[in-house]
Amino acid sequence: MNLPREILINLFHEMLRIHKVQLRIESLYHLDEMKTPIHLCIGQEAVAVGVCAHLRKDDYITSNHRGHGHFLAKGGDLKAMIAELYCKETGCSKGRGGSMHLVDVAVGHFGSSSIVSGGIPIGTGLGFAIKRQKQQRVSVIFFSDGAADEGVLYESVNFAILKELPVIFVYENNQFSVCSHISSRQWGELIFHAIPREKMFTQIVDGNSIMDVFEVAKIAVDRARQDQGPSLIECKTYRMRGHAGSGSDAKLGYRTAEEIAAWEAKCPVTLFRHQLLSEQVLTEQEIAEMDRDIEAEIEAAFRFAQESALPREEDLPLYLFKE
Amino acid sequence: MNLPREILINLFHEMLRIHKVQLRIESLYHLDEMKTPIHLCIGQEAVAVGVCAHLRKDDYITSNHRGHGHFLAKGGDLKAMIAELYCKETGCSKGRGGSMHLVDVAVGHFGSSSIVSGGIPIGTGLGFAIKRQKQQRVSVIFFSDGAADEGVLYESVNFAILKELPVIFVYENNQFSVCSHISSRQWGELIFHAIPREKMFTQIVDGNSIMDVFEVAKIAVDRARQDQGPSLIECKTYRMRGHAGSGSDAKLGYRTAEEIAAWEAKCPVTLFRHQLLSEQVLTEQEIAEMDRDIEAEIEAAFRFAQESALPREEDLPLYLFKE
Amino acid sequence: MPWSKVKPEYDEPDFYQQSEENLRRVTYPQAIREALDQALALDDNVFVMGQGVDDPSGMFGATVDLHKKYGSQRVFDTPLAENGLTGIAIGAALGGMRPVYFHNRPDFLLLTMDQLVNHASKWSYMFGGAVNVPLVVWACIGRGWGSAAQHSQALQGLFMHVPGLKLVMPSTCYDAKGLMLAAIADGNPVIILEHRFNFKHKGFVPENLYQVPFGKGIVRKEGKDVTLVAISHMATEAFKAAEELAKEGIDAEMIDLRTLRPLDEEIILTSVAKTGRLVIADTGWKTGGVTGEIAALVAEKGFPSLKAPVRRVGSPDVPTPAGYTLERAFYMGMPEILQAARELVGWTR
Amino acid sequence: MPWSKVKPEYDEPDFYQQSEENLRRVTYPQAIREALDQALALDDNVFVMGQGVDDPSGMFGATVDLHKKYGSQRVFDTPLAENGLTGIAIGAALGGMRPVYFHNRPDFLLLTMDQLVNHASKWSYMFGGAVNVPLVVWACIGRGWGSAAQHSQALQGLFMHVPGLKLVMPSTCYDAKGLMLAAIADGNPVIILEHRFNFKHKGFVPENLYQVPFGKGIVRKEGKDVTLVAISHMATEAFKAAEELAKEGIDAEMIDLRTLRPLDEEIILTSVAKTGRLVIADTGWKTGGVTGEIAALVAEKGFPSLKAPVRRVGSPDVPTPAGYTLERAFYMGMPEILQAARELVGWTR
Ligand SMILES: Cc1ncc(C[n+]2csc(CCOP(=O)(O)OP(=O)(O)O)c2C)c(N)n1
Ligand SMILES: Cc1ncc(C[n+]2csc(CCOP(=O)(O)OP(=O)(O)O)c2C)c(N)n1
Ligand SMILES: [Mg+2]
Ligand SMILES: [Mg+2]
């Protein structure tokens, strides 16, 4: 696929930005100032970026506990996200949600659930609202293999096809749910790939290849926008860090150092970086500038978060209901 | 398939018996002595009989609200079933369950749920117990298209394949859930038919043909008994009466009189009756004798039920727990 | 099944003399249906979903033929898949719609607890008010004719424990319509639990579009000797009990709470301050449910005025039995309320 | 996440002086693990399942390495699919096995309410005792470090309302082992709700195989001025409060209920008959939950001996907030119990 330079650069920039945000969070987590359980998406940057690149501000996404990448790729406010990790009043969820519960209605992010699979039917319902209101929008649902264990996926896929909803199920198959390999939980390939293409477009892609994800996501998004029904994209990828918290978890022994190393070599950001350099889309220097700009933005976001005020104890009762 | 005469006769006898029991219940229901919601299986006799013909007394079944046929085909005690419909202390559930909640542990019937799909994981778990205890048993799960809407079916099928359980999912597709046609609830064919045969044997059969059901059920039961894993048999059939209570519901208009008539012509009992007569397996006179014997048995069962004592109010607290 | 045999038609006492000018009386299902009809006409974003809402019997009459008037886009049948469909309704609500999701029985809500309790009830709070879920979930408590353990549960005791949900239980045709309209207008998840017996009611219902506010109970009969607090079908039973007691010279005050979340604490405490005696009646299990919370409320905040122990009338702690002799022993009602009130009035240390 | 920062190690007071001969002290997770180990060794039909039971951290240590000792047939990881797996566990139990199903958090039990409440709790009753379900479901209440609304729910208030379930909430290492062994030996569905903070405990645990009976609370400290009733982590807080009160000259009696279903009514009523004052402390939401039921019990059956209003210490009626400043306001404990007890002792009409 031959893409205009600015698109390529933008894709790289988004991935690099997410990657760097994750690294910064990780590097500061040991200070215990972010008192919230974090789930880093290092290694999975291409999925969120490749899909969201096709989305408009008023399209919808629903996300899960590992949602930093989804949030940022959809255009969520970085300052508000970091402030949420610090549980500050200026956080996107006013410090009530923490890392697993991000929201940014302004960009169509209606909240991430830390109940695995919880966001799947909700995203399907957002697609239903789009259809009923005859909007040209798309609802994208991000979930991983643990969520694919849950029957609610079967129920949601059925409804999405039944009502021909503009919903895209983005299955980030990183093969693990905490320390359980998918093979100890599922008998084989996701059965929904057997659904006839005219009912639901489904495809398996290399989730670490931004180009592959981008290409297939385009088909799905166009389909949804033209009211041609739902799609399911399975992105084979890998979580580079431990399930929760910071650092590698190789020591736990549920996956081999070799396996981790093999995937490290497939880092989506590095791969794309090399591609863009070799194709001379970008120069080392341009990338270095990009690095600097992103670092500065991240620096500012963390300063904003650290300087923001904490929620006041007396405000505990607020926000239970919309009055 | 060439079957020994006694098997053919037995299959016919079982279907005829279930059919007659249903008719008798229906003919007496208006008296309001059976104060329990009934769900007749008239038109679906071949499914229960064709499958259970291969089961031993110590094999398991789980059933649903429309469970009279399953109960009787598995060898459940007719007297105890009728007494349960009269809510008597002599009922199989001591009058605590009613028509939707039959049980007969002596023949491997561990109770029917009136929560649609509720019995599916339970039957799967019975299969798990069989496997762990290295028994040569089979666990059969009866459910209909409404239950196929539920995600717990997806979860149960996955687990049955994952653990290679001796479970047979018997899908009685009578096309309706109360008044809702399956097409208003599901996008198309059951997706599990796409599962590779070596993982799970699946087949669609004419549920009104006792021979077809019998033949395919044999494959599934043999497979399970030889610990070769689960199967799913979809039996296309039709409910001749209203969803609940007695009599036709043609007047409701959610299905046409023509459709009902067309299926009436495919009554599994009548069809098989003609076959056995034309193939001279049975004579009119032998069938007449069969009729008489069955009528007598039913007569006795109803007398037993009517004459049995009602549960005593002071016994309300009993049976909550096993002490 | 012949429900007619389970409870006869019931003509509600006219609790609303004030409105002489318009005394139109309609049936309970008609009252609900009228609320839905008016809401559907008023707001394009309102829709009605649920297994069987478009079938000939239309939810015991509450939704009958609405699909013919508003089309299958706005009034439609659903797959069973209750948990998934609840999440879908939540998503639709987040997307600007106003779903009203019908279930035959509360028993089926147990399949939806993840989406109702983990999601709908928390969505506004967990995101600091950035989002809200205008969702109405409706279910009708079954009773009699051997409905048995899985088709007759009165689960308000569970939902009353969950912050972020509103819980509505009408007892009159007037409230059934007004509370449904208030629920649809509310910006938050509301659960309406009806009782199958109420569907036999005929009562006063204005034709206009009106709302009955949440958190406001109503005194159905004033009295000074003992307070009877009840909801839904038990309010009907308690009112009958109050009339009986009057014949015995016991002047009971009867309060219909109408909503359990929010709960009208004031109306209860004010009444107990006057009577000093409290009987609470609920259709749910006695232990750990509605009667417990209300008794605790008074033991905490109304203690000084209590002249006698609190009495709770609730279902025995067993699943509902199918058999009618056992049903007779299982279900509480007017006689038990009567008995409890008599005991309290006669009570001395 | 650094739980160590959330609660420090806690050395349990020795509630069991009687057993001088054997004062082996082990950690809370070790106590549970020992119970499982002994049950697995004793009965081939016992098995342990759940998402993560065989992972390196082994349910906070409670199941660690058991799969290595007993094999993946008897200690195995499961798909998430919580509702399906609960039904599968019920079926396995009906087939003669004794499943112990572990969940990280009670929040996930909300996905299983259909199988737990519509099925497991009713199976024996609904079939007139023809069948029974020996099933143990275990989950650990999370707290702190921004666990937030979906990973910290204390849902005992829901389960306490359901007949047919037994509900266990240990507060000591001794009880954690003895109640687990009693649960596995029981022929009925038992839910064990642990508290994450208890896992920091170290306490006396006999090596032998013993059971702590259900429905028997225990007086952790005798007293005559006020009764403190609590469970699980709140029992630890209440005990500390009782010790504080002693310094102030207030002689509090502290009762640890250990199980909520069955509930030891007698131990509560006997104590209140003596003290006339009651504070109830629970980790769950205040409204419609455990504290309400116990307060109601006393308002009903202990009224004559009550000298003051009942006080309930429970969580405010909001979802758990993530932020630590808000967590501070949300979580109740020793200070609130202390305050309530002081008020009651000072209370006059
Ligand atoms: C319904 C439910 N069950 C269990 C959990 C506990 N849990 C939290 S995260 C997680 C892993 C989920 O794995 P997956 O869906 O593959 O997402 P990933 O961590 O790989 O991004 C689990 C099991 C949960 N949050 N929700
Ligand atoms: C979980 C659940 N949802 C809804 C119902 C209400 N209900 C009772 S029977 C029935 C029809 C079920 O249809 P199907 O599974 O096809 O069985 P059939 O009646 O055709 O034998 C429904 C919807 C229920 N009992 N359980
Ligand atoms: Mg994963
Ligand atoms: Mg059907």
Side-chain angles (χ1 to χ4, degrees):
Chain A
M1 193 162 52
N2 250 325
L3 293 173
R5 181 166 184 275
E6 62 277 16
I7 288 189
L8 295 170
I9 292 177
N10 186 48
L11 290 172
F12 179 67
H13 178 271
E14 286 304 300
M15 282 205 290
L16 186 63
R17 181 166 174 264
I18 291 169
H19 188 75
K20 285 175 168 293
V21 168
Q22 296 294 281
L23 292 179
R24 181 71 63 97
I25 292 168
E26 183 171 39
S27 70
L28 296 176
Y29 195 61
H30 71 280
L31 298 177
D32 292 337
E33 289 169 359
M34 291 176 263
K35 298 181 183 0
T36 178
I38 55 166
H39 301 80
L40 302 172
C41 64
I42 295 171
Q44 305 178 203
E45 296 88 348
V47 177
V49 171
V51 172
C52 292
H54 301 287
L55 300 183
R56 304 176 185 154
K57 197 174 175 189
D58 65 0
D59 289 324
Y60 303 138
I61 69 164
T62 40
S63 167
N64 60 10
H65 56 286
R66 197 174 306 284
H68 299 178
H70 311 140
F71 179 93
L72 294 173
K74 186 63 173 71
D77 178 343
L78 176 63
K79 280 190 164 74
M81 179 183 114
I82 302 300
E84 191 59 35
L85 269 54
Y86 280 84
C87 300
K88 298 298 182 77
E89 188 69 29
T90 55
C92 57
S93 305
K94 294 196 159 64
R96 273 70 177 171
S99 172
M100 301 191 291
H101 303 297
L102 306 176
V103 68
D104 193 338
V105 173
V107 297
H109 187 309
F110 281 89
S112 48
S113 176
S114 66
I115 296 297
V116 173
S117 80
I120 295 174
I122 294 174
T124 307
L126 281 162
F128 183 80
I130 291 169
K131 179 120 184 175
R132 281 287 170 274
Q133 293 167 70
K134 302 201 167 32
Q135 297 157 326
Q136 249 62 51
R137 298 181 184 174
V138 178
S139 174
V140 171
I141 300 163
F142 290 99
F143 66 99
S144 186
D145 52 294
D149 292 353
E150 299 279 3
V152 77
L153 176 61
Y154 170 85
E155 297 176 350
S156 302
V157 165
N158 175 59
F159 193 79
I161 302 174
L162 184 70
K163 303 288 181 182
E164 298 173 323
L165 302 181
V167 170
I168 302 173
F169 297 90
V170 178
Y171 176 20
E172 283 185 272
N173 186 352
N174 61 10
Q175 307 168 53
F176 289 92
S177 168
V178 193
C179 306
S180 322
H181 190 263
I182 188 168
S183 61
S184 71
R185 294 175 288 107
Q186 294 175 34
W187 65 265
E189 280 299 336
L190 191 73
I191 190 64
F192 305 115
H193 289 299
I195 292 170
R197 209 181 164 97
E198 68 277 10
K199 292 284 182 185
M200 179 164 86
F201 167 74
T202 85
Q203 190 146 324
I204 298 176
V205 303
D206 174 354
N208 284 36
S209 161
I210 181 67
M211 284 295 100
D212 290 9
V213 175
F214 182 87
E215 200 169 331
V216 173
K218 184 176 189 329
I219 300 170
V221 172
D222 291 347
R223 218 178 120 94
R225 243 186 251 298
Q226 289 150 34
D227 197 18
Q228 290 165 359
S231 303
L232 186 149
I233 304 171
E234 177 173 349
C235 306
K236 303 265 190 197
T237 183
Y238 199 77
R239 152 168 63 75
M240 296 312 302
R241 296 300 193 266
H243 165 66
S246 59
S248 153
D249 64 354
K251 61 192 173 312
L252 293 181
Y254 69 93
R255 46 186 199 176
T256 66
E258 295 66 36
E259 180 177 299
I260 298 173
W263 280 95
E264 185 64 59
K266 289 195 269 179
C267 167
V269 187
T270 313
L271 287 180
F272 197 47
R273 177 198 174 99
H274 291 149
Q275 183 188 331
L276 295 184
L277 286 171
S278 64
E279 293 174 2
Q280 286 155 25
V281 177
L282 279 171
T283 66
E284 289 284 5
Q285 195 202 330
E286 288 170 312
I287 293 179
E289 278 164 25
M290 220 184 254
D291 278 329
R292 266 196 307 280
D293 297 350
I294 292 173
E295 294 293 350
E297 187 196 2
I298 294 175
E299 194 54 45
F302 274 82
R303 203 176 318 104
F304 170 80
Q306 286 153 348
E307 290 169 357
S308 294
L310 286 159
R312 302 175 313 162
E313 299 196 14
E314 57 268 41
D315 290 342
L316 179 70
L318 301 182
Y319 311 123
L320 182 60
F321 289 120
K322 173 175 173 76
E323 295 316 328
Chain B
M1 191 164 51
N2 247 326
L3 292 173
R5 182 167 182 274
E6 62 276 15
I7 289 190
L8 294 170
I9 293 176
N10 186 48
L11 290 172
F12 179 67
H13 179 270
E14 287 303 301
M15 282 205 292
L16 186 64
R17 181 166 173 264
I18 291 168
H19 188 75
K20 285 174 168 294
V21 168
Q22 296 294 280
L23 292 178
R24 181 70 64 96
I25 292 167
E26 183 171 39
S27 68
L28 297 175
Y29 195 60
H30 71 280
L31 298 177
D32 293 336
E33 289 169 0
M34 291 176 263
K35 300 183 186 349
T36 179
I38 55 166
H39 301 80
L40 302 172
C41 64
I42 295 170
Q44 304 178 204
E45 297 88 348
V47 177
V49 171
V51 172
C52 291
H54 301 287
L55 300 183
R56 302 176 186 155
K57 197 173 174 191
D58 65 359
D59 289 325
Y60 303 138
I61 68 165
T62 40
S63 166
N64 60 9
H65 57 285
R66 198 175 303 286
H68 298 176
H70 312 140
F71 179 93
L72 294 173
K74 186 61 172 71
D77 180 342
L78 175 64
K79 280 190 164 74
M81 180 183 113
I82 302 302
E84 191 58 35
L85 268 56
Y86 281 84
C87 299
K88 297 299 182 78
E89 188 69 31
T90 55
C92 58
S93 305
K94 295 198 162 63
R96 273 68 177 173
S99 171
M100 301 191 291
H101 304 298
L102 306 176
V103 68
D104 192 339
V105 173
V107 298
H109 186 310
F110 282 89
S112 47
S113 176
S114 65
I115 296 296
V116 173
S117 80
I120 294 173
I122 294 174
T124 307
L126 282 161
F128 183 80
I130 292 169
K131 180 119 183 177
R132 281 288 170 273
Q133 294 168 66
K134 303 200 167 36
Q135 296 157 328
Q136 250 62 52
R137 298 182 185 171
V138 178
S139 174
V140 171
I141 300 163
F142 290 100
F143 65 99
S144 188
D145 51 294
D149 292 352
E150 299 278 2
V152 78
L153 175 61
Y154 170 86
E155 297 176 351
S156 302
V157 165
N158 176 58
F159 194 78
I161 302 174
L162 185 70
K163 303 289 180 183
E164 297 173 324
L165 303 181
V167 170
I168 302 174
F169 298 90
V170 178
Y171 175 20
E172 282 185 272
N173 186 352
N174 61 11
Q175 305 168 56
F176 288 93
S177 168
V178 193
C179 307
S180 324
H181 189 263
I182 187 169
S183 61
S184 72
R185 293 175 289 108
Q186 293 174 36
W187 65 265
E189 279 300 334
L190 191 73
I191 190 64
F192 306 115
H193 288 299
I195 292 170
R197 208 181 165 94
E198 68 277 9
K199 292 287 183 184
M200 180 165 84
F201 166 73
T202 84
Q203 191 145 322
I204 298 177
V205 302
D206 174 354
N208 284 35
S209 161
I210 181 68
M211 284 296 100
D212 290 9
V213 175
F214 182 87
E215 200 168 330
V216 172
K218 184 176 191 327
I219 301 169
V221 172
D222 291 347
R223 218 178 121 94
R225 242 185 252 298
Q226 290 150 32
D227 197 18
Q228 289 165 0
S231 304
L232 185 149
I233 305 171
E234 176 173 349
C235 307
K236 304 266 192 197
T237 182
Y238 199 75
R239 156 170 60 76
M240 296 312 301
R241 296 299 194 266
H243 165 67
S246 58
S248 154
D249 63 354
K251 61 189 173 315
L252 293 181
Y254 69 92
R255 45 187 198 175
T256 65
E258 294 65 37
E259 179 177 301
I260 298 174
W263 280 95
E264 184 64 58
K266 288 195 269 178
C267 167
V269 187
T270 313
L271 286 179
F272 198 47
R273 179 199 172 99
H274 291 149
Q275 183 189 333
L276 295 185
L277 286 171
S278 65
E279 293 174 0
Q280 285 153 29
V281 176
L282 278 173
T283 65
E284 288 286 5
Q285 195 202 331
E286 287 169 312
I287 294 179
E289 279 164 25
M290 219 184 253
D291 279 330
R292 266 197 305 283
D293 298 349
I294 292 172
E295 294 295 350
E297 187 196 2
I298 293 174
E299 194 54 45
F302 274 81
R303 202 175 320 104
F304 169 80
Q306 286 152 349
E307 290 168 1
S308 294
L310 287 159
R312 301 175 313 164
E313 298 196 13
E314 58 268 41
D315 290 341
L316 178 71
L318 301 183
Y319 311 123
L320 182 61
F321 288 121
K322 174 176 172 75
E323 296 314 329
Chain C
M1 53 225 78
W3 285 100
S4 51
K5 305 253 171 37
V6 178
K7 189 192 176 189
E9 307 282 341
Y10 173 71
D11 223 12
E12 290 176 2
D14 185 5
F15 296 119
Y16 307 87
Q17 258 89 7
Q18 65 273 20
S19 49
E20 283 304 352
E21 79 289 343
N22 173 355
L23 274 172
R24 181 185 67 141
R25 295 175 79 82
V26 305
T27 68
Y28 200 92
Q30 283 166 344
I32 298 170
R33 188 185 181 286
E34 188 165 86
L36 295 170
D37 190 358
Q38 292 175 340
L40 284 159
L42 192 74
D43 181 351
D44 252 349
N45 289 315
V46 173
F47 66 90
V48 174
M49 63 188 274
Q51 217 273 333
V53 291
D54 61 355
D55 84 6
S57 71
M59 285 286 149
F60 321 119
T63 64
V64 70
D65 289 345
L66 285 172
H67 62 291
K68 294 181 182 166
K69 182 165 178 187
Y70 296 97
S72 60
Q73 299 285 305
R74 298 187 61 198
V75 180
F76 58 91
D77 188 34
T78 60
L80 273 66
E82 285 85 355
N83 196 44
L85 268 294
T86 303
I88 286 163
I90 291 170
L94 290 170
M97 311 289 289
R98 295 197 166 257
V100 185
Y101 185 8
F102 276 76
H103 299 266
N104 278 282
R105 299 281 200 288
D107 310 69
F108 314 146
L109 295 181
L110 289 168
L111 285 85
T112 74
M113 293 297 269
D114 172 46
Q115 285 297 327
L116 277 182
V117 179
N118 278 334
H119 296 85
S121 77
K122 295 170 171 53
W123 226 240
S124 171
Y125 191 91
M126 193 161 70
F127 297 111
V131 287
N132 65 295
V133 179
L135 165 68
V136 180
V137 172
W138 184 101
C140 183
I141 297 165
R143 171 170 169 179
W145 209 257
S147 300
Q150 298 178 325
H151 276 69
S152 62
Q153 290 172 89
L155 299 175
Q156 56 270 26
L158 298 183
F159 296 112
M160 191 173 187
H161 188 46
V162 182
L165 296 179
K166 300 190 177 185
L167 181 54
V168 175
M169 295 187 73
S171 79
T172 65
C173 301
Y174 179 95
D175 290 350
K177 177 179 173 180
L179 289 167
M180 172 60 83
L181 283 166
I184 294 173
D186 201 285
N188 306 287
V190 179
I191 296 177
I192 301 177
L193 293 185
E194 301 283 5
H195 193 286
R196 196 67 180 75
F197 279 12
N198 293 353
F199 280 62
K200 294 300 205 150
H201 289 205
K202 204 159 194 286
F204 163 60
V205 177
E207 280 166 49
N208 65 304
L209 202 136
Y210 64 95
Q211 298 183 15
V212 171
F214 292 172
K216 293 258 158 287
I218 180 168
V219 175
R220 299 280 185 205
K221 177 189 173 304
E222 297 202 347
K224 57 176 181 11
D225 299 337
V226 55
T227 300
L228 312 181
V229 170
I231 42 160
S232 184
H233 166 66
M234 275 298 183
T236 309
E237 293 291 300
F239 185 80
K240 289 181 191 166
E243 288 182 319
E244 273 306 304
L245 290 165
K247 296 178 193 159
E248 302 175 12
I250 299 175
D251 186 15
E253 179 149 298
M254 194 267 140
I255 294 169
D256 179 350
L257 292 171
R258 305 202 284 198
T259 68
L260 289 172
R261 260 196 121 113
L263 179 68
D264 189 345
E265 299 194 355
E266 197 189 333
I267 198 170
I268 299 169
L269 294 171
T270 309
S271 180
V272 173
K274 177 169 62 173
T275 65
R277 301 183 184 83
L278 175 65
V279 177
I280 311 149
D282 177 36
T283 54
W285 290 300
K286 183 179 176 185
T287 300
V290 171
T291 62
E293 176 56 30
I294 294 168
L297 164 74
V298 173
E300 229 180 0
K301 301 180 181 173
F303 179 74
S305 42
L306 271 183
K307 297 183 195 139
V310 172
R311 280 267 185 285
R312 302 192 279 162
V313 176
S315 300
D317 283 327
V318 293
T320 314
Y324 49 97
T325 46
L326 296 166
E327 275 182 346
R328 237 182 271 137
F330 179 80
Y331 283 111
M332 304 286 128
M334 195 259 260
E336 290 75 18
I337 298 169
L338 211 53
Q339 187 50 31
R342 288 190 191 119
E343 282 170 30
L344 292 192
V345 173
W347 193 85
T348 45
R349 282 177 190 268
Chain D
M1 53 223 79
W3 284 102
S4 52
K5 304 256 172 33
V6 179
K7 189 193 176 187
E9 307 282 339
Y10 174 71
D11 221 14
E12 289 176 3
D14 185 5
F15 295 119
Y16 306 88
Q17 259 88 7
Q18 65 276 17
S19 51
E20 284 300 355
E21 79 288 342
N22 173 356
L23 275 174
R24 181 185 67 139
R25 294 175 80 83
V26 305
T27 68
Y28 200 92
Q30 283 166 344
I32 298 170
R33 189 185 180 286
E34 189 166 86
L36 295 170
D37 190 0
Q38 292 176 339
L40 283 159
L42 191 73
D43 181 351
D44 253 349
N45 290 315
V46 174
F47 66 89
V48 174
M49 63 189 274
Q51 218 274 334
V53 292
D54 61 356
D55 85 6
S57 71
M59 285 286 149
F60 321 119
T63 63
V64 70
D65 287 346
L66 284 172
H67 63 290
K68 293 181 181 164
K69 183 166 177 187
Y70 296 97
S72 61
Q73 298 285 304
R74 297 188 63 198
V75 180
F76 58 91
D77 187 33
T78 60
L80 273 63
E82 286 86 356
N83 195 44
L85 268 295
T86 303
I88 285 163
I90 292 169
L94 291 170
M97 311 289 289
R98 294 196 165 258
V100 185
Y101 185 7
F102 276 76
H103 299 265
N104 279 280
R105 298 281 200 291
D107 309 69
F108 314 147
L109 295 181
L110 290 168
L111 284 86
T112 74
M113 293 298 267
D114 173 46
Q115 284 297 325
L116 277 183
V117 179
N118 278 334
H119 295 86
S121 77
K122 294 170 172 52
W123 226 239
S124 172
Y125 191 91
M126 195 162 68
F127 298 110
V131 288
N132 65 296
V133 179
L135 165 68
V136 180
V137 172
W138 184 100
C140 182
I141 297 165
R143 171 171 168 177
W145 207 259
S147 301
Q150 297 178 323
H151 277 68
S152 62
Q153 290 172 91
L155 299 175
Q156 57 270 27
L158 297 183
F159 295 113
M160 192 174 188
H161 189 47
V162 181
L165 296 178
K166 299 189 178 184
L167 181 54
V168 174
M169 296 188 71
S171 77
T172 67
C173 302
Y174 180 93
D175 290 349
K177 177 179 174 181
L179 288 167
M180 172 61 84
L181 284 165
I184 294 172
D186 201 285
N188 306 287
V190 179
I191 296 177
I192 302 177
L193 293 185
E194 302 282 5
H195 193 285
R196 195 68 180 75
F197 280 11
N198 292 352
F199 280 62
K200 295 301 205 147
H201 288 203
K202 206 159 193 285
F204 162 60
V205 176
E207 281 166 50
N208 65 302
L209 199 136
Y210 64 96
Q211 297 183 15
V212 171
F214 292 173
K216 294 256 158 287
I218 180 169
V219 175
R220 299 280 185 206
K221 176 188 174 307
E222 295 201 348
K224 57 173 177 16
D225 299 336
V226 56
T227 302
L228 312 181
V229 171
I231 42 161
S232 184
H233 166 65
M234 275 298 183
T236 308
E237 294 292 299
F239 185 80
K240 290 181 191 164
E243 289 181 319
E244 273 305 305
L245 290 165
K247 297 177 191 156
E248 304 175 13
I250 298 175
D251 185 15
E253 179 148 298
M254 194 268 143
I255 295 170
D256 180 349
L257 292 171
R258 305 203 284 199
T259 68
L260 289 172
R261 258 193 124 113
L263 179 68
D264 189 344
E265 298 192 358
E266 196 188 334
I267 198 171
I268 299 168
L269 294 171
T270 308
S271 179
V272 172
K274 178 170 58 174
T275 65
R277 301 183 184 84
L278 175 65
V279 177
I280 311 149
D282 178 35
T283 54
W285 290 301
K286 183 180 176 184
T287 300
V290 171
T291 61
E293 177 56 29
I294 293 168
L297 165 73
V298 172
E300 231 180 0
K301 302 181 181 173
F303 179 73
S305 42
L306 271 183
K307 296 182 195 139
V310 172
R311 281 267 186 283
R312 303 192 278 163
V313 176
S315 300
D317 284 328
V318 293
T320 314
Y324 49 97
T325 46
L326 295 166
E327 275 183 343
R328 238 183 271 136
F330 178 80
Y331 283 110
M332 303 288 127
M334 196 258 259
E336 290 75 18
I337 298 168
L338 210 53
Q339 187 50 32
R342 290 191 189 115
E343 282 171 29
L344 292 192
V345 172
W347 193 86
T348 44
R349 282 177 191 269

